[in-house]
Amino acid sequence: MATINSTVISGAGAFGALAPLLAGKQRILLVTDANVGRLDAALTIRTILEAEEREVRVIDSVPAEPCQHDMVQVVQAINGWQPEMIVGVGGGSVLDAAKLLSVLLHSHSPGLDALLEGVKPTHRITSLLIPATAGTGSEATPNAILAIPEQNTKVGIISPVMLPDYVALLPELTTSMPAHIASSTGIDALCHLLECFTATVANPVSDNAALIGLRKLLANIDAAVTQPRNLSAKLEMLWASYYGGVAINHAGTHLVHALSYPLGGRYHLPHGVANAILLAPSMAVVRPYAVEKFAQVWDLIPDADASLSEEAKSHALVDWLAALVKRLQLPDNLVALGVPADSIDTLCDAALNVKRLLNNAPCRVSKDDVLAIYRTLFPVR
């Protein structure tokens, strides 16, 4: 658990509030990806960064699911240049890369190999994170996730040192997201909030963040997907995602994410899509051990039937989650995504190795449980 000291600015039209954050910085590294970097809102941010004759260098080659080799290549491309500030503009992978670079480019960096081995950093370069999707909450977490191709999985580098100095939640940056990206990233945020709320390590701080985020997300996810210019809904989703990150910082995810990691590491499925497929079947396993909390979440859904018993509400929530994934037109099985059914045992073994997350689940998760969840993702025809 780490204290979040980031200064957060937010709101439609809040671009002007970025300039004061840059005071005294003359060398800035902008980390993004090629698609986000072309957006009008991203170009506006870049113009602000380049004002007052600042030297701004751009890394726009961060892939969707970066691995440790990608980070090595980025550091090599920078070739010893020393920025005074790192600005990340993009989705979770970009923000994670920016957080890692804020450590790796510092003169006291322990190096990537050491970080992967568990060495904790002590210093970083000043950082500003601006999410372009409403899902990962990376701007509020001390985590950076890297794929490890040699092991067909992902690992998290975790340190409060990576928490940014500044965060900007600018809804204009998210209006160009295609519907399927808005859907999958929104489900990712929902998984963060639900898993942290039901984690064995949940506490009043994480519960409060999760409930605030869930209230915002459940009321706005449909509008944010179907009405891309709805800045109010987009901003509420950015805040929901941020609160998901806060909840992760104070608790942690569990079953969905543990089973999702092998799908991303081995088959390179987008993280939000993998989470969406796993959401309902994983929550069905968790439900008997979190009935009261599931009932609380049910009551946050607009127009939900509040007259149901807690037990009925918990069942209804699982059904609602499955219906939400379908309504947002996200995949609900792995067959359509080209994952072979004979991979179940391999996926299960990899997921069971993600003990850091499985230990957070409110119930003991057996190999049979994991196998059963994966099997539901391969419907019999």
Side-chain angles (χ1 to χ4, degrees):
M1 185 182 298
T3 301
I4 299 176
N5 293 317
S6 307
T7 297
V8 182
I9 63 172
S10 73
F15 291 91
L18 296 176
L21 309 182
L22 311 175
K25 308 297 183 185
Q26 287 301 311
R27 298 186 307 279
I28 296 177
L29 178 66
L30 172 59
V31 184
T32 186
D33 64 52
N35 291 325
V36 170
R38 289 193 292 265
L39 299 178
D40 288 344
L43 293 173
T44 297
I45 293 169
R46 183 167 176 175
T47 298
I48 294 169
L49 299 181
E50 291 174 339
E52 301 184 14
E53 299 183 348
R54 295 188 190 92
E55 181 183 1
V56 178
R57 296 194 184 182
V58 180
I59 294 291
D60 63 0
S61 57
V62 179
E65 302 285 339
C67 68
Q68 79 272 33
H69 308 302
D70 297 315
M71 295 308 302
V72 169
Q73 290 178 358
V74 170
V75 172
Q76 290 174 343
I78 293 168
N79 195 28
W81 182 68
Q82 286 291 303
E84 298 172 289
M85 188 175 198
I86 308 287
V87 178
V89 181
S93 295
V94 165
L95 300 188
D96 281 5
K99 288 192 289 189
L100 272 175
L101 288 170
S102 73
V103 168
L104 292 173
L105 297 180
H106 195 280
S107 58
H108 290 96
S109 171
L112 182 57
D113 288 342
L115 293 176
L116 288 169
E117 291 170 2
V119 175
K120 299 300 182 183
T122 56
H123 297 80
R124 63 164 163 73
I125 297 168
T126 302
S127 59
L128 161 63
L129 301 184
I130 308 176
T133 62
T136 69
S138 178
E139 67 279 2
T141 74
N143 309 342
I145 307 301
L146 287 180
I148 307 297
E150 294 81 1
Q151 300 174 17
N152 292 318
T153 190
K154 298 180 179 180
V155 299
I157 296 172
I158 304 171
S159 169
V161 170
M162 291 194 295
L163 285 164
D165 297 272
Y166 308 110
V167 171
L169 305 179
L170 308 174
E172 293 90 344
L173 196 58
T174 69
T175 58
S176 298
M177 274 194 297
H180 71 280
I181 300 296
S183 297
S184 63
T185 54
I187 292 293
D188 189 23
L190 176 55
C191 290
H192 295 161
L193 293 160
L194 273 175
E195 289 177 86
C196 289
F197 189 49
T198 55
T200 187
V201 290
N203 56 75
V205 176
S206 63
D207 281 358
N208 187 53
L211 287 171
I212 293 173
L214 284 164
R215 184 180 297 277
K216 291 178 179 296
L217 187 145
L218 296 172
N220 289 280
I221 187 169
D222 287 286
V225 171
T226 61
Q227 303 168 30
R229 303 300 302 180
N230 186 331
L231 294 182
S232 175
K234 292 288 191 181
L235 181 58
E236 288 292 273
M237 286 298 294
L238 282 169
W239 273 113
S241 177
Y242 180 85
Y243 276 110
V246 173
I248 289 172
N249 194 36
H250 290 281
T253 57
H254 50 80
L255 190 54
V256 174
H257 276 71
L259 273 63
S260 173
Y261 278 8
L263 290 173
R266 185 177 182 85
Y267 294 103
H268 309 293
L269 297 189
H271 181 62
V273 171
N275 283 355
I277 292 171
L278 288 159
L279 176 56
S282 296
M283 288 299 112
V285 171
V286 169
R287 185 207 63 78
Y289 306 90
V291 170
E292 181 180 352
K293 285 196 166 183
F294 271 39
Q296 286 180 262
V297 176
W298 172 258
D299 287 337
L300 296 177
I301 298 172
D303 302 322
D305 184 353
S307 68
L308 299 176
S309 67
E310 283 193 344
E311 182 76 13
K313 287 177 180 179
S314 71
H315 283 285
L317 177 64
V318 174
D319 293 340
W320 188 90
L321 294 172
L324 175 65
V325 170
K326 285 184 177 292
R327 187 165 73 246
L328 296 180
Q329 300 182 2
L330 290 167
D332 61 0
N333 69 83
L334 291 174
V335 175
L337 296 173
V339 179
D342 61 8
S343 66
I344 289 178
D345 288 337
T346 301
L347 290 170
C348 179
D349 290 343
L352 289 170
N353 281 329
V354 191
K355 293 180 175 60
R356 176 179 65 86
L357 300 186
L358 290 178
N359 289 341
N360 287 341
C363 54
R364 181 181 176 275
V365 180
S366 68
K367 182 174 183 177
D368 287 342
D369 292 327
V370 175
L371 284 171
I373 292 172
Y374 280 133
R375 285 176 183 140
T376 67
L377 308 182
F378 295 95
V380 178
R381 298 189 181 280

Short mmCIF file of all heavy atoms in Angstrom, two decimals, residues 264-315:
data_model
loop_
_atom_site.label_atom_id
_atom_site.label_comp_id
_atom_site.label_asym_id
_atom_site.label_seq_id
_atom_site.Cartn_x
_atom_site.Cartn_y
_atom_site.Cartn_z
N GLY A 264 -2.95 -12.96 -22.35
CA GLY A 264 -2.19 -11.87 -22.95
C GLY A 264 -0.77 -12.27 -23.28
O GLY A 264 -0.26 -11.95 -24.34
N GLY A 265 -0.14 -13.00 -22.35
CA GLY A 265 1.26 -13.36 -22.55
C GLY A 265 1.45 -14.39 -23.64
O GLY A 265 2.42 -14.31 -24.42
N ARG A 266 0.55 -15.36 -23.74
CA ARG A 266 0.73 -16.46 -24.71
C ARG A 266 0.07 -16.17 -26.05
O ARG A 266 0.64 -16.47 -27.11
CB ARG A 266 0.17 -17.76 -24.12
CG ARG A 266 0.41 -18.99 -25.00
CD ARG A 266 -0.10 -20.26 -24.32
NE ARG A 266 0.16 -21.44 -25.11
CZ ARG A 266 1.29 -22.14 -25.10
NH1 ARG A 266 2.27 -21.77 -24.30
NH2 ARG A 266 1.42 -23.22 -25.85
N TYR A 267 -1.14 -15.57 -26.01
CA TYR A 267 -1.90 -15.37 -27.25
C TYR A 267 -2.07 -13.91 -27.62
O TYR A 267 -2.73 -13.59 -28.59
CB TYR A 267 -3.27 -16.06 -27.14
CG TYR A 267 -3.13 -17.57 -27.05
CD1 TYR A 267 -3.28 -18.22 -25.84
CD2 TYR A 267 -2.79 -18.31 -28.17
CE1 TYR A 267 -3.12 -19.60 -25.74
CE2 TYR A 267 -2.63 -19.69 -28.09
CZ TYR A 267 -2.80 -20.33 -26.88
OH TYR A 267 -2.63 -21.68 -26.80
N HIS A 268 -1.49 -13.03 -26.82
CA HIS A 268 -1.46 -11.60 -27.11
C HIS A 268 -2.87 -11.01 -27.26
O HIS A 268 -3.08 -10.08 -28.04
CB HIS A 268 -0.62 -11.31 -28.36
CG HIS A 268 0.74 -11.95 -28.32
ND1 HIS A 268 1.70 -11.55 -27.41
CD2 HIS A 268 1.27 -12.97 -29.03
CE1 HIS A 268 2.79 -12.29 -27.57
NE2 HIS A 268 2.56 -13.17 -28.54
N LEU A 269 -3.81 -11.55 -26.52
CA LEU A 269 -5.15 -10.96 -26.53
C LEU A 269 -5.09 -9.62 -25.81
O LEU A 269 -4.42 -9.48 -24.79
CB LEU A 269 -6.14 -11.87 -25.79
CG LEU A 269 -6.41 -13.26 -26.37
CD1 LEU A 269 -7.58 -13.90 -25.63
CD2 LEU A 269 -6.69 -13.20 -27.85
N PRO A 270 -5.80 -8.61 -26.33
CA PRO A 270 -5.85 -7.34 -25.61
C PRO A 270 -6.34 -7.56 -24.18
O PRO A 270 -7.27 -8.35 -23.94
CB PRO A 270 -6.85 -6.52 -26.43
CG PRO A 270 -6.79 -7.11 -27.80
CD PRO A 270 -6.55 -8.58 -27.59
N HIS A 271 -5.72 -6.86 -23.26
CA HIS A 271 -5.98 -7.09 -21.84
C HIS A 271 -7.47 -6.94 -21.49
O HIS A 271 -8.05 -7.79 -20.79
CB HIS A 271 -5.13 -6.13 -21.01
CG HIS A 271 -5.30 -6.30 -19.54
ND1 HIS A 271 -4.98 -7.46 -18.87
CD2 HIS A 271 -5.77 -5.44 -18.59
CE1 HIS A 271 -5.23 -7.31 -17.57
NE2 HIS A 271 -5.71 -6.10 -17.38
N GLY A 272 -8.10 -5.88 -21.98
CA GLY A 272 -9.50 -5.66 -21.66
C GLY A 272 -10.40 -6.73 -22.24
O GLY A 272 -11.42 -7.11 -21.62
N VAL A 273 -10.07 -7.22 -23.43
CA VAL A 273 -10.86 -8.28 -24.06
C VAL A 273 -10.74 -9.57 -23.24
O VAL A 273 -11.74 -10.26 -22.97
CB VAL A 273 -10.41 -8.52 -25.51
CG1 VAL A 273 -11.07 -9.75 -26.11
CG2 VAL A 273 -10.73 -7.29 -26.36
N ALA A 274 -9.52 -9.92 -22.85
CA ALA A 274 -9.33 -11.12 -22.02
C ALA A 274 -10.10 -11.00 -20.71
O ALA A 274 -10.74 -11.96 -20.26
CB ALA A 274 -7.85 -11.33 -21.76
N ASN A 275 -10.07 -9.83 -20.10
CA ASN A 275 -10.81 -9.63 -18.85
C ASN A 275 -12.31 -9.74 -19.07
O ASN A 275 -13.03 -10.30 -18.23
CB ASN A 275 -10.48 -8.26 -18.26
CG ASN A 275 -9.12 -8.22 -17.58
OD1 ASN A 275 -8.45 -9.24 -17.46
ND2 ASN A 275 -8.72 -7.05 -17.14
N ALA A 276 -12.79 -9.20 -20.19
CA ALA A 276 -14.23 -9.25 -20.46
C ALA A 276 -14.71 -10.69 -20.58
O ALA A 276 -15.78 -11.07 -20.06
CB ALA A 276 -14.54 -8.48 -21.75
N ILE A 277 -13.93 -11.53 -21.27
CA ILE A 277 -14.29 -12.93 -21.44
C ILE A 277 -14.34 -13.66 -20.09
O ILE A 277 -15.20 -14.51 -19.85
CB ILE A 277 -13.29 -13.62 -22.39
CG1 ILE A 277 -13.44 -13.07 -23.81
CG2 ILE A 277 -13.46 -15.13 -22.40
CD1 ILE A 277 -12.36 -13.52 -24.76
N LEU A 278 -13.44 -13.29 -19.20
CA LEU A 278 -13.31 -13.98 -17.92
C LEU A 278 -14.20 -13.41 -16.83
O LEU A 278 -14.38 -14.05 -15.78
CB LEU A 278 -11.85 -13.90 -17.46
CG LEU A 278 -10.85 -14.75 -18.23
CD1 LEU A 278 -9.44 -14.24 -18.04
CD2 LEU A 278 -10.95 -16.21 -17.78
N LEU A 279 -14.76 -12.24 -17.03
CA LEU A 279 -15.43 -11.53 -15.95
C LEU A 279 -16.56 -12.33 -15.30
O LEU A 279 -16.52 -12.63 -14.10
CB LEU A 279 -15.96 -10.19 -16.46
CG LEU A 279 -16.78 -9.35 -15.47
CD1 LEU A 279 -15.99 -9.09 -14.19
CD2 LEU A 279 -17.23 -8.04 -16.12
N ALA A 280 -17.58 -12.68 -16.08
CA ALA A 280 -18.74 -13.35 -15.49
C ALA A 280 -18.40 -14.73 -14.92
O ALA A 280 -18.79 -15.05 -13.78
CB ALA A 280 -19.88 -13.43 -16.50
N PRO A 281 -17.68 -15.60 -15.67
CA PRO A 281 -17.39 -16.92 -15.09
C PRO A 281 -16.51 -16.85 -13.84
O PRO A 281 -16.67 -17.65 -12.92
CB PRO A 281 -16.69 -17.67 -16.22
CG PRO A 281 -16.30 -16.65 -17.23
CD PRO A 281 -17.25 -15.53 -17.09
N SER A 282 -15.61 -15.88 -13.78
CA SER A 282 -14.78 -15.73 -12.58
C SER A 282 -15.60 -15.22 -11.41
O SER A 282 -15.47 -15.69 -10.26
CB SER A 282 -13.60 -14.79 -12.86
OG SER A 282 -12.73 -15.32 -13.83
N MET A 283 -16.47 -14.26 -11.67
CA MET A 283 -17.30 -13.73 -10.59
C MET A 283 -18.31 -14.75 -10.09
O MET A 283 -18.73 -14.71 -8.93
CB MET A 283 -18.00 -12.45 -11.06
CG MET A 283 -17.07 -11.25 -11.20
SD MET A 283 -16.23 -10.76 -9.67
CE MET A 283 -14.53 -11.20 -10.05
N ALA A 284 -18.70 -15.70 -10.95
CA ALA A 284 -19.59 -16.77 -10.50
C ALA A 284 -18.89 -17.64 -9.44
O ALA A 284 -19.53 -18.12 -8.50
CB ALA A 284 -20.02 -17.62 -11.68
N VAL A 285 -17.58 -17.82 -9.58
CA VAL A 285 -16.81 -18.58 -8.59
C VAL A 285 -16.67 -17.78 -7.29
O VAL A 285 -16.77 -18.32 -6.19
CB VAL A 285 -15.42 -18.94 -9.16
CG1 VAL A 285 -14.52 -19.53 -8.08
CG2 VAL A 285 -15.56 -19.91 -10.32
N VAL A 286 -16.46 -16.50 -7.42
CA VAL A 286 -16.27 -15.63 -6.25
C VAL A 286 -17.58 -15.39 -5.49
O VAL A 286 -17.59 -15.24 -4.26
CB VAL A 286 -15.65 -14.28 -6.70
CG1 VAL A 286 -15.67 -13.25 -5.58
CG2 VAL A 286 -14.24 -14.49 -7.22
N ARG A 287 -18.69 -15.36 -6.19
CA ARG A 287 -19.97 -14.91 -5.64
C ARG A 287 -20.34 -15.50 -4.27
O ARG A 287 -20.71 -14.74 -3.35
CB ARG A 287 -21.09 -15.19 -6.65
CG ARG A 287 -22.46 -14.64 -6.24
CD ARG A 287 -23.61 -15.43 -6.83
NE ARG A 287 -23.60 -16.82 -6.36
CZ ARG A 287 -24.04 -17.20 -5.18
NH1 ARG A 287 -24.53 -16.31 -4.31
NH2 ARG A 287 -23.99 -18.47 -4.83
N PRO A 288 -20.25 -16.81 -4.07
CA PRO A 288 -20.69 -17.33 -2.76
C PRO A 288 -19.91 -16.78 -1.58
O PRO A 288 -20.39 -16.83 -0.43
CB PRO A 288 -20.46 -18.85 -2.91
CG PRO A 288 -20.44 -19.11 -4.38
CD PRO A 288 -19.82 -17.89 -4.98
N TYR A 289 -18.72 -16.25 -1.83
CA TYR A 289 -17.86 -15.76 -0.76
C TYR A 289 -17.92 -14.23 -0.63
O TYR A 289 -17.21 -13.65 0.19
CB TYR A 289 -16.41 -16.20 -1.01
CG TYR A 289 -16.29 -17.68 -1.21
CD1 TYR A 289 -16.39 -18.24 -2.49
CD2 TYR A 289 -16.13 -18.54 -0.13
CE1 TYR A 289 -16.30 -19.62 -2.68
CE2 TYR A 289 -16.05 -19.91 -0.31
CZ TYR A 289 -16.14 -20.45 -1.59
OH TYR A 289 -16.06 -21.81 -1.76
N ALA A 290 -18.76 -13.60 -1.43
CA ALA A 290 -18.85 -12.13 -1.41
C ALA A 290 -20.29 -11.68 -1.65
O ALA A 290 -20.53 -10.69 -2.33
CB ALA A 290 -17.92 -11.55 -2.49
N VAL A 291 -21.24 -12.41 -1.09
CA VAL A 291 -22.66 -12.13 -1.35
C VAL A 291 -23.03 -10.72 -0.94
O VAL A 291 -23.69 -9.97 -1.70
CB VAL A 291 -23.54 -13.16 -0.62
CG1 VAL A 291 -25.02 -12.75 -0.68
CG2 VAL A 291 -23.36 -14.55 -1.23
N GLU A 292 -22.63 -10.30 0.24
CA GLU A 292 -23.01 -8.97 0.73
C GLU A 292 -22.43 -7.87 -0.16
O GLU A 292 -23.13 -6.91 -0.51
CB GLU A 292 -22.53 -8.78 2.16
CG GLU A 292 -22.91 -7.43 2.75
CD GLU A 292 -22.42 -7.27 4.19
OE1 GLU A 292 -21.93 -8.26 4.77
OE2 GLU A 292 -22.53 -6.14 4.71
N LYS A 293 -21.18 -8.04 -0.56
CA LYS A 293 -20.57 -7.01 -1.40
C LYS A 293 -21.16 -7.02 -2.81
O LYS A 293 -21.34 -5.96 -3.42
CB LYS A 293 -19.05 -7.19 -1.43
CG LYS A 293 -18.39 -6.73 -0.13
CD LYS A 293 -16.91 -6.53 -0.27
CE LYS A 293 -16.35 -5.75 0.92
NZ LYS A 293 -14.91 -5.47 0.80
N PHE A 294 -21.46 -8.20 -3.34
CA PHE A 294 -22.13 -8.25 -4.64
C PHE A 294 -23.47 -7.54 -4.57
O PHE A 294 -23.87 -6.85 -5.52
CB PHE A 294 -22.32 -9.71 -5.07
CG PHE A 294 -21.16 -10.28 -5.85
CD1 PHE A 294 -19.85 -9.98 -5.51
CD2 PHE A 294 -21.38 -11.13 -6.92
CE1 PHE A 294 -18.78 -10.51 -6.22
CE2 PHE A 294 -20.32 -11.68 -7.64
CZ PHE A 294 -19.02 -11.36 -7.29
N ALA A 295 -24.18 -7.71 -3.46
CA ALA A 295 -25.46 -7.03 -3.30
C ALA A 295 -25.29 -5.52 -3.28
O ALA A 295 -26.11 -4.77 -3.84
CB ALA A 295 -26.15 -7.51 -2.03
N GLN A 296 -24.23 -5.04 -2.64
CA GLN A 296 -23.96 -3.60 -2.63
C GLN A 296 -23.71 -3.08 -4.05
O GLN A 296 -24.18 -2.00 -4.40
CB GLN A 296 -22.72 -3.31 -1.77
CG GLN A 296 -22.93 -3.41 -0.28
CD GLN A 296 -21.66 -3.09 0.47
OE1 GLN A 296 -20.91 -3.98 0.88
NE2 GLN A 296 -21.39 -1.82 0.66
N VAL A 297 -22.98 -3.84 -4.85
CA VAL A 297 -22.71 -3.42 -6.22
C VAL A 297 -24.01 -3.43 -7.03
O VAL A 297 -24.27 -2.51 -7.82
CB VAL A 297 -21.65 -4.33 -6.88
CG1 VAL A 297 -21.44 -3.95 -8.33
CG2 VAL A 297 -20.33 -4.23 -6.11
N TRP A 298 -24.82 -4.45 -6.84
CA TRP A 298 -26.10 -4.52 -7.55
C TRP A 298 -26.93 -3.25 -7.31
O TRP A 298 -27.53 -2.70 -8.22
CB TRP A 298 -26.88 -5.74 -7.10
CG TRP A 298 -28.30 -5.81 -7.63
CD1 TRP A 298 -29.45 -5.52 -6.95
CD2 TRP A 298 -28.70 -6.17 -8.96
NE1 TRP A 298 -30.54 -5.68 -7.76
CE2 TRP A 298 -30.11 -6.08 -8.99
CE3 TRP A 298 -28.01 -6.56 -10.10
CZ2 TRP A 298 -30.85 -6.36 -10.15
CZ3 TRP A 298 -28.73 -6.85 -11.24
CH2 TRP A 298 -30.13 -6.75 -11.26
N ASP A 299 -26.92 -2.77 -6.09
CA ASP A 299 -27.72 -1.58 -5.74
C ASP A 299 -27.20 -0.31 -6.40
O ASP A 299 -27.90 0.71 -6.41
CB ASP A 299 -27.75 -1.40 -4.22
CG ASP A 299 -28.65 -2.43 -3.53
OD1 ASP A 299 -29.56 -2.97 -4.19
OD2 ASP A 299 -28.42 -2.69 -2.33
N LEU A 300 -25.99 -0.33 -6.94
CA LEU A 300 -25.44 0.84 -7.63
C LEU A 300 -25.85 0.89 -9.11
O LEU A 300 -25.68 1.92 -9.76
CB LEU A 300 -23.91 0.83 -7.54
CG LEU A 300 -23.30 0.95 -6.15
CD1 LEU A 300 -21.77 0.85 -6.25
CD2 LEU A 300 -23.70 2.26 -5.48
N ILE A 301 -26.38 -0.22 -9.62
CA ILE A 301 -26.78 -0.25 -11.03
C ILE A 301 -28.05 0.57 -11.20
O ILE A 301 -29.04 0.36 -10.48
CB ILE A 301 -27.02 -1.70 -11.49
CG1 ILE A 301 -25.73 -2.51 -11.38
CG2 ILE A 301 -27.55 -1.74 -12.91
CD1 ILE A 301 -25.92 -4.00 -11.63
N PRO A 302 -28.07 1.51 -12.14
CA PRO A 302 -29.29 2.30 -12.35
C PRO A 302 -30.48 1.38 -12.64
O PRO A 302 -30.38 0.44 -13.43
CB PRO A 302 -28.94 3.16 -13.57
CG PRO A 302 -27.46 3.28 -13.53
CD PRO A 302 -26.96 1.96 -12.99
N ASP A 303 -31.58 1.65 -11.95
CA ASP A 303 -32.85 0.91 -12.14
C ASP A 303 -32.77 -0.54 -11.68
O ASP A 303 -33.64 -1.35 -12.04
CB ASP A 303 -33.29 0.96 -13.61
CG ASP A 303 -33.48 2.38 -14.12
OD1 ASP A 303 -33.98 3.21 -13.35
OD2 ASP A 303 -33.11 2.65 -15.27
N ALA A 304 -31.79 -0.91 -10.90
CA ALA A 304 -31.72 -2.27 -10.37
C ALA A 304 -32.84 -2.49 -9.36
O ALA A 304 -33.26 -1.57 -8.65
CB ALA A 304 -30.38 -2.52 -9.72
N ASP A 305 -33.33 -3.72 -9.29
CA ASP A 305 -34.42 -4.06 -8.38
C ASP A 305 -33.86 -4.16 -6.96
O ASP A 305 -33.19 -5.13 -6.60
CB ASP A 305 -35.05 -5.39 -8.81
CG ASP A 305 -36.26 -5.77 -7.97
OD1 ASP A 305 -36.53 -5.09 -6.96
OD2 ASP A 305 -36.92 -6.78 -8.31
N ALA A 306 -34.15 -3.17 -6.14
CA ALA A 306 -33.61 -3.12 -4.78
C ALA A 306 -34.38 -4.01 -3.82
O ALA A 306 -33.96 -4.20 -2.68
CB ALA A 306 -33.63 -1.68 -4.27
N SER A 307 -35.50 -4.59 -4.26
CA SER A 307 -36.32 -5.40 -3.37
C SER A 307 -35.82 -6.83 -3.24
O SER A 307 -36.31 -7.59 -2.40
CB SER A 307 -37.77 -5.42 -3.87
OG SER A 307 -37.88 -6.12 -5.10
N LEU A 308 -34.86 -7.23 -4.06
CA LEU A 308 -34.35 -8.59 -4.01
C LEU A 308 -33.60 -8.84 -2.71
O LEU A 308 -33.08 -7.92 -2.07
CB LEU A 308 -33.40 -8.84 -5.19
CG LEU A 308 -33.97 -8.70 -6.61
CD1 LEU A 308 -32.85 -8.88 -7.62
CD2 LEU A 308 -35.07 -9.72 -6.85
N SER A 309 -33.51 -10.10 -2.33
CA SER A 309 -32.67 -10.47 -1.18
C SER A 309 -31.20 -10.32 -1.57
O SER A 309 -30.86 -10.23 -2.75
CB SER A 309 -32.94 -11.92 -0.78
OG SER A 309 -32.49 -12.80 -1.80
N GLU A 310 -30.33 -10.29 -0.57
CA GLU A 310 -28.90 -10.18 -0.87
C GLU A 310 -28.44 -11.34 -1.74
O GLU A 310 -27.67 -11.16 -2.69
CB GLU A 310 -28.08 -10.14 0.42
CG GLU A 310 -28.10 -8.80 1.12
CD GLU A 310 -27.05 -8.70 2.21
OE1 GLU A 310 -26.51 -9.76 2.64
OE2 GLU A 310 -26.73 -7.57 2.64
N GLU A 311 -28.89 -12.54 -1.44
CA GLU A 311 -28.51 -13.71 -2.23
C GLU A 311 -28.96 -13.55 -3.68
O GLU A 311 -28.19 -13.79 -4.62
CB GLU A 311 -29.12 -14.98 -1.63
CG GLU A 311 -28.75 -16.27 -2.35
CD GLU A 311 -27.34 -16.75 -2.06
OE1 GLU A 311 -26.71 -16.23 -1.11
OE2 GLU A 311 -26.86 -17.64 -2.79
N ALA A 312 -30.20 -13.11 -3.87
CA ALA A 312 -30.72 -12.93 -5.23
C ALA A 312 -29.97 -11.82 -5.96
O ALA A 312 -29.71 -11.91 -7.17
CB ALA A 312 -32.21 -12.62 -5.18
N LYS A 313 -29.63 -10.76 -5.24
CA LYS A 313 -28.88 -9.67 -5.85
C LYS A 313 -27.51 -10.16 -6.32
O LYS A 313 -27.04 -9.76 -7.39
CB LYS A 313 -28.69 -8.52 -4.85
CG LYS A 313 -29.95 -7.71 -4.58
CD LYS A 313 -29.68 -6.64 -3.52
CE LYS A 313 -30.94 -5.83 -3.24
NZ LYS A 313 -30.70 -4.80 -2.19
N SER A 314 -26.88 -11.02 -5.54
CA SER A 314 -25.55 -11.50 -5.92
C SER A 314 -25.62 -12.33 -7.19
O SER A 314 -24.75 -12.22 -8.07
CB SER A 314 -24.91 -12.30 -4.77
OG SER A 314 -25.54 -13.55 -4.58
N HIS A 315 -26.64 -13.17 -7.31
CA HIS A 315 -26.82 -13.94 -8.55
C HIS A 315 -27.15 -13.00 -9.72
O HIS A 315 -26.65 -13.18 -10.83
CB HIS A 315 -27.94 -14.97 -8.37
CG HIS A 315 -27.56 -16.16 -7.58
ND1 HIS A 315 -26.76 -17.18 -8.08
CD2 HIS A 315 -27.85 -16.52 -6.29
CE1 HIS A 315 -26.59 -18.10 -7.16
NE2 HIS A 315 -27.24 -17.73 -6.06
#
